[in-house]
Amino acid sequence: MKQRLFEQRYLLLLLAPAVIWAVFFAYLPMAGLYMAFVNYQASLGNFWGNLFQSEFVGMDWFNYFFSNGDFLVIMRNTLASTLLTLVISFPVPIVIAIALNEVRGALFKRTVQTVSYLPHFISWVIAANIVVTVLSSDGIVNKLLQWLNLTDASILFLQEGKYFWWIIALGNTWKEMGYSAILYLAAISSINQELYEAARVDGAGRFKQIVYVTLPHLKPTIVILLILSLGGVLNAGFDQHYLLGNGLNLGYSDVLSTYSFRYGLQNSMFSYASAVGLFNSVVAFILVVIVNYASKKLNNQSLF
């Protein structure tokens, strides 16, 4: 073992910065989860000293969260937003990747790729402003609806809660579909081209080649990404909900992340916000384990 470590000393040295980063920024901060079980009051002085000297209240903050009227509304908004986003955004990158794989024009293919994954690299601050502009009373969406005689007057999309989940789902899909398609394009590029040639010899057209060659080889990638997506089903996204939410659609836009932010930083209920965040993380971990186990049993494909 010592000899092996010595031989790989340069590789370990290269790995050291990543390990140090993970320890200081991923593991040590987990000690702060203790805040969810105490009645922490922020004050001047040593943070850790104040934290560990705070009154221990056990599961009181969790009981308060589950018993007050906010819980059902927050969970409804979170699940509706994330599941609708998953239903719309998950298959779209697969379709884009398969479609681009069938394109023979290299210039057109690169152009579509660039245009589709460019939104991923802009912040939600800019993306939210684009969404607000497009959906405004004199925006392109309202003008198009009126031109098609589908509406007589402008629809105030961001002032009516019933549209909010759809706006988030479509906004997330638009922003991430091109970047997510890169993973599927990489998986498609690794498929042995002789399989396509054999399928053509057997008389398979493009559609049958997609069904019987492309999709079966994409299945492992699809399963892994689906497991990861379901694990984050309670992570609706703070940026988009905070930036697109307002007082008029708060009953539909308030999710776990914005709720914990509002109570933690704006109302200074740090322990309560920590309890909400810990609940989110625990549920996400449990979902990953359950979905991974089910996938392993049903399809023999799993993340771990």
Side-chain angles (χ1 to χ4, degrees), residues 78-95 165-166 168-174 177 184 222 225-226 229-230 232-233:
T78 303
L79 291 173
S81 181
T82 53
L83 291 177
L84 188 59
T85 296
L86 182 63
V87 169
I88 297 176
S89 66
F90 190 79
V92 170
I94 301 173
V95 174
W165 298 335
W166 289 97
I168 290 295
L170 294 173
N172 284 329
T173 302
W174 160 71
M177 61 182 183
Y184 297 108
I222 293 173
L225 293 178
L226 181 61
S229 298
L230 289 174
V233 74

Short mmCIF file of all heavy atoms in Angstrom, two decimals, residues 78-95 165-166 168-174 177 184 222 225-226 229-230 232-233:
data_model
loop_
_atom_site.label_atom_id
_atom_site.label_comp_id
_atom_site.label_asym_id
_atom_site.label_seq_id
_atom_site.Cartn_x
_atom_site.Cartn_y
_atom_site.Cartn_z
N THR A 78 -44.05 23.27 -4.40
CA THR A 78 -42.75 22.67 -4.73
C THR A 78 -42.91 21.46 -5.63
O THR A 78 -42.24 21.34 -6.67
CB THR A 78 -42.01 22.27 -3.44
OG1 THR A 78 -41.85 23.41 -2.59
CG2 THR A 78 -40.64 21.69 -3.76
N LEU A 79 -43.80 20.55 -5.26
CA LEU A 79 -43.99 19.33 -6.04
C LEU A 79 -44.59 19.63 -7.41
O LEU A 79 -44.18 19.05 -8.42
CB LEU A 79 -44.88 18.35 -5.28
CG LEU A 79 -44.25 17.72 -4.03
CD1 LEU A 79 -45.27 16.90 -3.27
CD2 LEU A 79 -43.04 16.86 -4.40
N ALA A 80 -45.57 20.52 -7.44
CA ALA A 80 -46.20 20.86 -8.72
C ALA A 80 -45.19 21.48 -9.68
O ALA A 80 -45.14 21.13 -10.87
CB ALA A 80 -47.37 21.82 -8.50
N SER A 81 -44.38 22.38 -9.18
CA SER A 81 -43.39 23.05 -10.01
C SER A 81 -42.32 22.09 -10.52
O SER A 81 -41.99 22.07 -11.71
CB SER A 81 -42.74 24.20 -9.22
OG SER A 81 -41.80 24.88 -10.01
N THR A 82 -41.78 21.26 -9.62
CA THR A 82 -40.69 20.37 -10.01
C THR A 82 -41.17 19.21 -10.89
O THR A 82 -40.51 18.84 -11.86
CB THR A 82 -39.98 19.80 -8.77
OG1 THR A 82 -40.96 19.19 -7.90
CG2 THR A 82 -39.26 20.88 -8.01
N LEU A 83 -42.32 18.63 -10.55
CA LEU A 83 -42.82 17.50 -11.35
C LEU A 83 -43.25 17.95 -12.74
O LEU A 83 -43.00 17.25 -13.73
CB LEU A 83 -43.98 16.82 -10.62
CG LEU A 83 -43.61 16.07 -9.34
CD1 LEU A 83 -44.84 15.49 -8.66
CD2 LEU A 83 -42.60 14.96 -9.62
N LEU A 84 -43.87 19.11 -12.82
CA LEU A 84 -44.25 19.64 -14.14
C LEU A 84 -43.00 19.95 -14.96
O LEU A 84 -42.95 19.67 -16.16
CB LEU A 84 -45.12 20.88 -13.97
CG LEU A 84 -45.76 21.46 -15.25
CD1 LEU A 84 -46.66 20.41 -15.90
CD2 LEU A 84 -46.56 22.71 -14.92
N THR A 85 -42.00 20.51 -14.30
CA THR A 85 -40.73 20.77 -14.99
C THR A 85 -40.10 19.48 -15.47
O THR A 85 -39.60 19.40 -16.60
CB THR A 85 -39.75 21.51 -14.05
OG1 THR A 85 -40.29 22.79 -13.71
CG2 THR A 85 -38.40 21.69 -14.71
N LEU A 86 -40.14 18.44 -14.62
CA LEU A 86 -39.55 17.15 -14.98
C LEU A 86 -40.27 16.52 -16.17
O LEU A 86 -39.63 16.02 -17.10
CB LEU A 86 -39.60 16.21 -13.78
CG LEU A 86 -38.97 14.82 -13.96
CD1 LEU A 86 -37.48 14.96 -14.23
CD2 LEU A 86 -39.21 13.96 -12.73
N VAL A 87 -41.59 16.58 -16.16
CA VAL A 87 -42.38 15.98 -17.24
C VAL A 87 -42.08 16.67 -18.58
O VAL A 87 -42.01 16.01 -19.63
CB VAL A 87 -43.89 16.06 -16.91
CG1 VAL A 87 -44.73 15.70 -18.13
CG2 VAL A 87 -44.23 15.14 -15.75
N ILE A 88 -41.91 17.98 -18.54
CA ILE A 88 -41.68 18.73 -19.79
C ILE A 88 -40.21 18.73 -20.18
O ILE A 88 -39.86 18.48 -21.34
CB ILE A 88 -42.19 20.18 -19.65
CG1 ILE A 88 -43.70 20.20 -19.42
CG2 ILE A 88 -41.83 21.00 -20.88
CD1 ILE A 88 -44.27 21.58 -19.17
N SER A 89 -39.33 19.00 -19.21
CA SER A 89 -37.93 19.23 -19.54
C SER A 89 -37.10 17.96 -19.71
O SER A 89 -36.06 17.99 -20.37
CB SER A 89 -37.27 20.11 -18.47
OG SER A 89 -37.21 19.43 -17.23
N PHE A 90 -37.53 16.85 -19.13
CA PHE A 90 -36.70 15.64 -19.22
C PHE A 90 -36.67 15.04 -20.62
O PHE A 90 -35.60 14.70 -21.13
CB PHE A 90 -37.15 14.60 -18.20
CG PHE A 90 -36.19 13.45 -18.07
CD1 PHE A 90 -35.04 13.57 -17.32
CD2 PHE A 90 -36.43 12.25 -18.72
CE1 PHE A 90 -34.14 12.51 -17.21
CE2 PHE A 90 -35.55 11.20 -18.62
CZ PHE A 90 -34.40 11.33 -17.86
N PRO A 91 -37.82 14.88 -21.30
CA PRO A 91 -37.76 14.28 -22.64
C PRO A 91 -37.25 15.21 -23.73
O PRO A 91 -36.76 14.74 -24.77
CB PRO A 91 -39.22 13.87 -22.91
CG PRO A 91 -40.03 14.77 -22.06
CD PRO A 91 -39.21 15.07 -20.85
N VAL A 92 -37.36 16.53 -23.52
CA VAL A 92 -36.99 17.47 -24.58
C VAL A 92 -35.52 17.35 -24.99
O VAL A 92 -35.22 17.29 -26.19
CB VAL A 92 -37.33 18.92 -24.15
CG1 VAL A 92 -36.73 19.93 -25.13
CG2 VAL A 92 -38.84 19.11 -24.08
N PRO A 93 -34.54 17.29 -24.06
CA PRO A 93 -33.15 17.12 -24.48
C PRO A 93 -32.90 15.83 -25.24
O PRO A 93 -32.04 15.79 -26.13
CB PRO A 93 -32.37 17.14 -23.15
CG PRO A 93 -33.25 17.84 -22.20
CD PRO A 93 -34.64 17.48 -22.59
N ILE A 94 -33.63 14.78 -24.90
CA ILE A 94 -33.48 13.51 -25.62
C ILE A 94 -33.92 13.67 -27.06
O ILE A 94 -33.24 13.22 -28.00
CB ILE A 94 -34.30 12.40 -24.92
CG1 ILE A 94 -33.84 12.23 -23.47
CG2 ILE A 94 -34.17 11.08 -25.67
CD1 ILE A 94 -34.70 11.26 -22.67
N VAL A 95 -35.05 14.33 -27.25
CA VAL A 95 -35.56 14.57 -28.61
C VAL A 95 -34.59 15.45 -29.39
O VAL A 95 -34.29 15.19 -30.57
CB VAL A 95 -36.95 15.23 -28.54
CG1 VAL A 95 -37.42 15.62 -29.95
CG2 VAL A 95 -37.96 14.30 -27.88
N TRP A 165 -46.80 27.91 -12.42
CA TRP A 165 -46.09 26.63 -12.52
C TRP A 165 -45.71 26.32 -13.95
O TRP A 165 -44.62 25.81 -14.22
CB TRP A 165 -46.94 25.50 -11.95
CG TRP A 165 -47.27 25.66 -10.50
CD1 TRP A 165 -46.57 26.36 -9.56
CD2 TRP A 165 -48.40 25.11 -9.82
NE1 TRP A 165 -47.19 26.28 -8.34
CE2 TRP A 165 -48.31 25.52 -8.45
CE3 TRP A 165 -49.48 24.32 -10.20
CZ2 TRP A 165 -49.26 25.17 -7.50
CZ3 TRP A 165 -50.43 23.96 -9.25
CH2 TRP A 165 -50.32 24.38 -7.91
N TRP A 166 -46.60 26.66 -14.89
CA TRP A 166 -46.30 26.43 -16.30
C TRP A 166 -45.18 27.35 -16.77
O TRP A 166 -44.31 26.94 -17.56
CB TRP A 166 -47.56 26.66 -17.15
CG TRP A 166 -48.59 25.60 -16.97
CD1 TRP A 166 -49.68 25.65 -16.15
CD2 TRP A 166 -48.63 24.32 -17.60
NE1 TRP A 166 -50.40 24.48 -16.23
CE2 TRP A 166 -49.77 23.64 -17.13
CE3 TRP A 166 -47.81 23.69 -18.54
CZ2 TRP A 166 -50.11 22.37 -17.56
CZ3 TRP A 166 -48.14 22.41 -18.96
CH2 TRP A 166 -49.28 21.77 -18.47
N ILE A 168 -42.70 28.52 -14.93
CA ILE A 168 -41.45 27.98 -14.38
C ILE A 168 -41.00 26.75 -15.16
O ILE A 168 -39.82 26.61 -15.51
CB ILE A 168 -41.64 27.63 -12.89
CG1 ILE A 168 -41.77 28.90 -12.06
CG2 ILE A 168 -40.45 26.80 -12.39
CD1 ILE A 168 -40.54 29.78 -12.03
N ALA A 169 -41.93 25.85 -15.45
CA ALA A 169 -41.60 24.61 -16.16
C ALA A 169 -41.05 24.92 -17.56
O ALA A 169 -40.02 24.37 -17.96
CB ALA A 169 -42.82 23.71 -16.25
N LEU A 170 -41.73 25.79 -18.27
CA LEU A 170 -41.28 26.13 -19.63
C LEU A 170 -39.99 26.94 -19.59
O LEU A 170 -39.12 26.78 -20.46
CB LEU A 170 -42.38 26.91 -20.36
CG LEU A 170 -43.66 26.11 -20.64
CD1 LEU A 170 -44.74 27.01 -21.21
CD2 LEU A 170 -43.38 24.95 -21.59
N GLY A 171 -39.85 27.82 -18.59
CA GLY A 171 -38.62 28.59 -18.45
C GLY A 171 -37.43 27.71 -18.15
O GLY A 171 -36.35 27.88 -18.74
N ASN A 172 -37.59 26.75 -17.25
CA ASN A 172 -36.51 25.80 -16.95
C ASN A 172 -36.14 24.98 -18.18
O ASN A 172 -34.96 24.71 -18.43
CB ASN A 172 -36.92 24.88 -15.81
CG ASN A 172 -36.87 25.56 -14.45
OD1 ASN A 172 -36.06 26.44 -14.22
ND2 ASN A 172 -37.75 25.16 -13.55
N THR A 173 -37.16 24.56 -18.92
CA THR A 173 -36.91 23.75 -20.12
C THR A 173 -36.13 24.55 -21.16
O THR A 173 -35.15 24.06 -21.72
CB THR A 173 -38.24 23.28 -20.72
OG1 THR A 173 -38.97 22.53 -19.74
CG2 THR A 173 -38.00 22.40 -21.95
N TRP A 174 -36.56 25.78 -21.40
CA TRP A 174 -35.88 26.63 -22.37
C TRP A 174 -34.42 26.88 -21.97
O TRP A 174 -33.52 26.85 -22.81
CB TRP A 174 -36.62 27.98 -22.48
CG TRP A 174 -35.79 29.08 -23.06
CD1 TRP A 174 -35.38 29.21 -24.35
CD2 TRP A 174 -35.24 30.20 -22.35
NE1 TRP A 174 -34.61 30.35 -24.50
CE2 TRP A 174 -34.51 30.97 -23.28
CE3 TRP A 174 -35.31 30.63 -21.02
CZ2 TRP A 174 -33.86 32.14 -22.92
CZ3 TRP A 174 -34.65 31.79 -20.67
CH2 TRP A 174 -33.94 32.54 -21.61
N MET A 177 -32.43 22.92 -21.81
CA MET A 177 -32.61 21.80 -22.74
C MET A 177 -31.39 21.58 -23.63
O MET A 177 -30.98 20.43 -23.86
CB MET A 177 -33.86 22.03 -23.60
CG MET A 177 -33.82 23.26 -24.48
SD MET A 177 -35.36 23.48 -25.40
CE MET A 177 -34.94 24.94 -26.38
N TYR A 184 -26.59 13.52 -23.90
CA TYR A 184 -27.17 12.48 -24.77
C TYR A 184 -26.45 12.41 -26.11
O TYR A 184 -26.27 11.33 -26.68
CB TYR A 184 -28.66 12.77 -24.99
CG TYR A 184 -29.47 12.71 -23.71
CD1 TYR A 184 -29.97 13.87 -23.14
CD2 TYR A 184 -29.72 11.50 -23.08
CE1 TYR A 184 -30.71 13.82 -21.96
CE2 TYR A 184 -30.45 11.44 -21.91
CZ TYR A 184 -30.94 12.61 -21.36
OH TYR A 184 -31.67 12.55 -20.19
N ILE A 222 -30.19 7.70 -19.76
CA ILE A 222 -31.52 8.21 -19.39
C ILE A 222 -31.87 7.82 -17.96
O ILE A 222 -32.37 8.63 -17.18
CB ILE A 222 -32.59 7.68 -20.37
CG1 ILE A 222 -32.37 8.28 -21.76
CG2 ILE A 222 -33.99 8.00 -19.87
CD1 ILE A 222 -33.26 7.70 -22.84
N LEU A 225 -29.73 9.84 -15.32
CA LEU A 225 -30.17 11.23 -15.22
C LEU A 225 -31.57 11.34 -14.61
O LEU A 225 -31.88 12.31 -13.91
CB LEU A 225 -30.14 11.89 -16.59
CG LEU A 225 -28.75 12.08 -17.20
CD1 LEU A 225 -28.85 12.69 -18.59
CD2 LEU A 225 -27.88 12.93 -16.30
N LEU A 226 -32.41 10.33 -14.86
CA LEU A 226 -33.74 10.33 -14.25
C LEU A 226 -33.65 10.14 -12.74
O LEU A 226 -34.38 10.80 -11.98
CB LEU A 226 -34.61 9.22 -14.87
CG LEU A 226 -36.04 9.13 -14.34
CD1 LEU A 226 -36.80 10.42 -14.61
CD2 LEU A 226 -36.77 7.94 -14.97
N SER A 229 -32.56 13.39 -11.32
CA SER A 229 -33.64 14.38 -11.40
C SER A 229 -34.69 14.14 -10.33
O SER A 229 -35.17 15.08 -9.69
CB SER A 229 -34.28 14.33 -12.79
OG SER A 229 -33.35 14.66 -13.79
N LEU A 230 -35.06 12.88 -10.11
CA LEU A 230 -36.06 12.57 -9.10
C LEU A 230 -35.52 12.83 -7.70
O LEU A 230 -36.28 13.16 -6.79
CB LEU A 230 -36.50 11.11 -9.23
CG LEU A 230 -37.36 10.80 -10.46
CD1 LEU A 230 -37.61 9.29 -10.57
CD2 LEU A 230 -38.69 11.54 -10.39
N GLY A 232 -33.81 15.33 -6.88
CA GLY A 232 -33.94 16.76 -6.64
C GLY A 232 -35.36 17.26 -6.82
O GLY A 232 -35.56 18.42 -7.17
N VAL A 233 -36.34 16.37 -6.57
CA VAL A 233 -37.73 16.73 -6.84
C VAL A 233 -38.23 17.83 -5.90
O VAL A 233 -39.19 18.54 -6.21
CB VAL A 233 -38.64 15.48 -6.74
CG1 VAL A 233 -38.83 15.05 -5.29
CG2 VAL A 233 -39.98 15.72 -7.42
#
